[in-house]
Amino acid sequence: MTTIEAPDRLVDHHCHGVARRSLTAAQFTAYLTESDAPAAPGTTFFDTQLGFAMRRWCPPALGLTAHCPPADYLARRTELGADESTRRLLRATGITDYLLDTGLPGGLTTPGEVAAASGARTHEIVRLECLAEAAADVAGSGQDFLGRLVTAVHEAARTAIAFKSVVAYRHGLDFDPRPPRTQEVYGAAGRWLALRKPGDRLHDPVLLRHLLWTAAETGLPLQLHTGFGDPDLRLHRGDPLLLTDFIRAVRPTGCPLILLHTYPYHRNAAYLAHAYPHVHTDIGLAVPHTGARAEAVLAETLELAPFGKLMFSTDAYGLPELYLTGTRLFTQALTRLLTSWVREGAWTAPDARRVAEMITSGTARRVYGLDPDGRD
């Protein structure tokens, strides 16, 4: 019977670097959760959908049997060392292009280091809030800050593949969708600079809106965190439907908007991708965390999202294992879904293969301006 295999060359359109150092067991398992609290007594974060999926897919890349005990896996990882483990795991993914958000702290690998370890191409996604905070650290006044900020955004647009905002964390997606007036922006900048201490994060809703609109006017794709994440987030304010008026307002700029992660609002994000031509979606963070249930999340997203509007990502962070786990879970889920629809007669095999190519790489190449040879 016909099996529709997902392509083995993928574009990971949203991810992060990995830890350079060797990790203790506690440090390793902390990357298996979005929580900032310890695991339940008598358990570890290996006792999760993500933990079980990682034990299924990653040990063979390090020369172990699937589902080996966590202690055996961590011992093998230590034996090989961080660099060799990272190289083996990344090269097992089939990812040809990594689009890396470089805005997270913690000594993570740079795009150049990921390229060297993986043998793949890398491209930088610039986090807007980091640009604002860096400008504020050296600005002498609100006016100086705003000038530096506009310059930083436009300088970044010359080399970045996309921008990203975490306004969902810093304020919530229920922000005023309109571009702020000049007087509002100057007033907010002056107040923030007067009260801010070095290293303080940007939370002011007027300045966050100003950032979004400044980035949108460059024409680069703008990625927006939506859905679940760590406890800094108020989940009900991360529903992408809250962006509806902003989506409508920004449409004339031509800026592509990409809704990241989206779970448990993935059906809402699928509707927005369905309704608005400049909106795309993914389920990146949801796939590894739902593990054996990832197929259900993917199926629910494909109920309404146009097939050329969904893109693959891992949202891997810290552990190279997250790249491989996310890739295997996604491609397995896609293979099973498409194969079942072809066998039922709902789809033809050629159509299924064409859609699989769109989702795993083709749409990302189109949206971000990548070509098959990696030039951008």
Side-chain angles (χ1 to χ4, degrees):
M1 299 181 70
T2 301
T3 298
I4 306 301
E5 296 287 351
D8 57 5
R9 293 172 60 79
L10 302 96
V11 172
D12 187 345
H13 89 104
H14 182 80
C15 54
H16 309 272
V18 302
R20 294 190 182 94
R21 67 190 189 283
S22 296
L23 301 172
T24 66
Q27 290 169 334
F28 184 95
T29 56
Y31 284 113
L32 302 183
T33 179
E34 290 295 305
S35 176
D36 58 2
T43 73
T44 75
F45 287 117
F46 274 108
D47 294 323
T48 59
Q49 287 280 8
L50 172 54
F52 277 30
M54 186 175 289
R55 288 176 54 212
R56 162 65 179 90
W57 294 110
C58 295
L62 302 190
L64 299 171
T65 58
H67 301 295
C68 70
D72 292 353
Y73 182 80
L74 294 176
R76 175 61 171 164
R77 203 179 191 277
T78 299
E79 177 188 356
L80 290 172
D83 291 346
E84 178 62 12
S85 297
T86 294
R87 189 189 70 81
R88 292 190 184 197
L89 290 159
L90 293 185
R91 290 179 183 242
T93 63
I95 294 170
T96 65
D97 292 82
Y98 295 86
L99 279 59
L100 284 102
D101 169 9
T102 56
L104 286 175
L108 302 178
T109 50
T110 64
E113 290 170 315
V114 171
S118 66
R121 297 175 289 263
T122 57
H123 316 270
E124 185 179 13
I125 300 165
V126 171
R127 189 175 292 206
L128 291 172
E129 290 79 9
C130 291
L131 291 181
E133 289 150 9
D137 283 342
V138 296
S141 65
Q143 182 174 357
D144 182 30
F145 161 70
L146 292 173
R148 290 177 182 271
L149 179 57
V150 170
T151 298
V153 170
H154 285 91
E155 283 293 312
R158 295 172 57 189
T159 56
I161 201 76
F163 288 114
K164 179 190 175 181
S165 173
V166 289
V167 63
Y169 277 95
R170 302 300 181 83
H171 173 76
L173 300 180
D174 49 349
F175 56 86
D176 185 335
R178 299 168 297 179
R181 298 188 303 274
T182 301
Q183 184 177 356
E184 287 182 276
V185 175
Y186 275 91
R191 289 190 298 272
W192 188 49
L193 266 292
L195 297 173
R196 183 179 185 271
K197 298 175 183 177
D200 281 357
R201 291 180 169 184
L202 175 62
H203 294 277
D204 184 274
V206 173
L207 295 179
L208 289 166
R209 288 162 54 207
H210 177 61
L211 261 181
L212 291 172
W213 280 99
T214 302
E217 289 164 0
T218 69
L220 279 186
L222 174 57
Q223 299 183 346
L224 295 157
H225 179 104
T226 72
F228 86 112
D230 67 44
D232 282 347
L233 188 72
R234 297 296 180 267
L235 184 57
H236 68 288
R237 299 180 71 185
D239 185 339
L241 288 181
L242 296 172
L243 290 167
T244 300
D245 288 339
F246 176 71
I247 287 169
R248 291 171 175 168
V250 84
R251 181 175 174 180
T253 70
C255 174
L257 299 178
I258 296 94
L259 308 176
L260 299 174
H261 317 320
T262 66
Y263 185 87
Y265 306 115
H266 48 290
R267 280 173 156 152
N268 296 356
Y271 157 72
L272 293 169
H274 177 98
Y276 298 99
H278 58 306
V279 176
H280 297 74
T281 190
D282 88 354
I283 50 172
L285 184 59
V287 169
H289 282 283
T290 54
R293 290 285 294 166
E295 184 179 339
V297 178
L298 178 58
E300 288 170 353
T301 302
L302 288 173
E303 289 169 353
L304 200 58
F307 306 136
K309 293 294 202 75
L310 175 64
M311 292 185 281
F312 161 76
S313 76
T314 62
D315 193 41
Y317 159 61
L319 299 180
E321 285 83 355
L322 295 174
Y323 285 105
L324 184 55
T325 304
T327 299
R328 291 291 184 267
L329 286 170
F330 189 90
T331 55
Q332 181 188 63
L334 188 61
T335 292
R336 288 177 173 173
L337 281 176
L338 298 185
T339 297
S340 69
W341 293 339
V342 169
R343 289 178 178 175
E344 292 165 3
W347 289 31
T348 67
D351 279 341
R353 294 188 181 98
R354 184 169 55 85
V355 169
E357 190 277 334
M358 283 187 219
I359 292 172
T360 55
S361 65
T363 297
R365 294 191 185 284
R366 171 174 55 81
V367 171
Y368 296 102
L370 299 169
D371 73 16
D373 297 322
R375 295 185 298 271
D376 56 71

